Amino acid sequence: SLAFPYQYGTLIVCPSTLKWNWEKEIRKHTNEEYSIIDGPRKKRGAQWKKKARFYICSYELILKDNEGIRDRQWNNIILDEATANIDTVTEQLLDSILEKLPATTTRVIIAHRLNTITNADEIFFISEGEVQRAGSLDDAIRLLLHGSRKLTS
């Protein structure tokens, strides 16, 4: 069991096609409550109010439900596929949410492009189930440029 207080929990933001994958992984690895944010506005309102450790929301609903997201101080935020076809307005909203988070909030950004993670404290590469610590953005670029990291297609 993860040690996060229920009152704020973990917000997972991903493309709508990945919400059910996140649900599957949460059920596989924990018995904690989760809420998938989906459906009409009234239904989503109830889903946001549900007492849960994990809230799974698509990028498409971030703009529609931004007050429910912005008004909380999340313990953890996971942005999956952070640059996956999101428009400028949604990107700006995400930035404003991230800027207002306390320093104690853990942010995990799953990205495929380095420009998405320019402000990251730590960068890790994951390839074929292996995790490699890259360090800062400059360190990550050095690893990529000097062949110190195995690139896969």
Side-chain angles (χ1 to χ4, degrees):
S1 161
L2 300 174
F4 307 134
Y6 272 108
Q7 69 186 106
Y8 300 120
T10 297
L11 173 62
I12 301 167
V13 185
C14 62
S16 57
T17 56
L18 295 179
K19 286 194 292 190
W20 311 110
N21 292 7
W22 275 100
E23 175 200 27
K24 179 182 169 188
E25 291 302 315
I26 290 169
R27 284 191 295 123
K28 180 178 171 183
H29 297 287
T30 182
N31 293 322
E32 300 296 339
E33 291 291 321
Y34 60 90
S35 184
I36 297 177
I37 312 303
D38 198 34
R41 185 171 183 78
K42 187 174 182 179
K43 182 180 176 186
R44 291 194 317 268
Q47 293 164 343
W48 282 116
K49 291 176 184 168
K50 179 181 176 183
K51 184 178 179 181
R53 277 252 172 149
F54 301 96
Y55 296 83
I56 306 166
C57 181
S58 67
Y59 286 102
E60 295 86 355
L61 294 177
I62 289 288
L63 285 174
K64 295 177 181 177
D65 296 346
N66 65 51
E67 66 281 347
I69 296 166
R70 259 196 304 220
D71 296 342
R72 296 187 186 191
Q73 291 185 356
W74 299 95
N75 289 322
N76 308 284
I77 290 189
I78 299 172
L79 302 178
D80 190 355
E81 298 283 344
T83 58
N85 301 319
I86 62 171
D87 57 64
T88 305
V89 175
T90 305
E91 187 175 3
Q92 289 172 346
L93 176 62
L94 284 171
D95 287 345
S96 74
I97 292 168
L98 293 173
E99 286 173 11
K100 292 177 184 173
L101 293 172
T104 55
T105 302
T106 300
R107 300 161 182 96
V108 176
I109 300 173
I110 301 169
H112 291 94
R113 298 186 332 220
L114 287 176
N115 67 326
T116 307
I117 53 174
T118 56
N119 295 322
D121 294 329
E122 289 283 334
I123 297 172
F124 295 85
F125 291 124
I126 302 173
S127 179
E128 298 176 9
E130 298 288 321
V131 178
Q132 179 183 8
R133 182 180 177 276
S136 69
L137 180 63
D138 290 339
D139 296 333
I141 291 170
R142 256 191 306 283
L143 282 172
L144 290 170
L145 291 176
H146 296 96
S148 303
R149 177 181 175 271
K150 180 184 172 193
L151 296 175
T152 59
S153 53

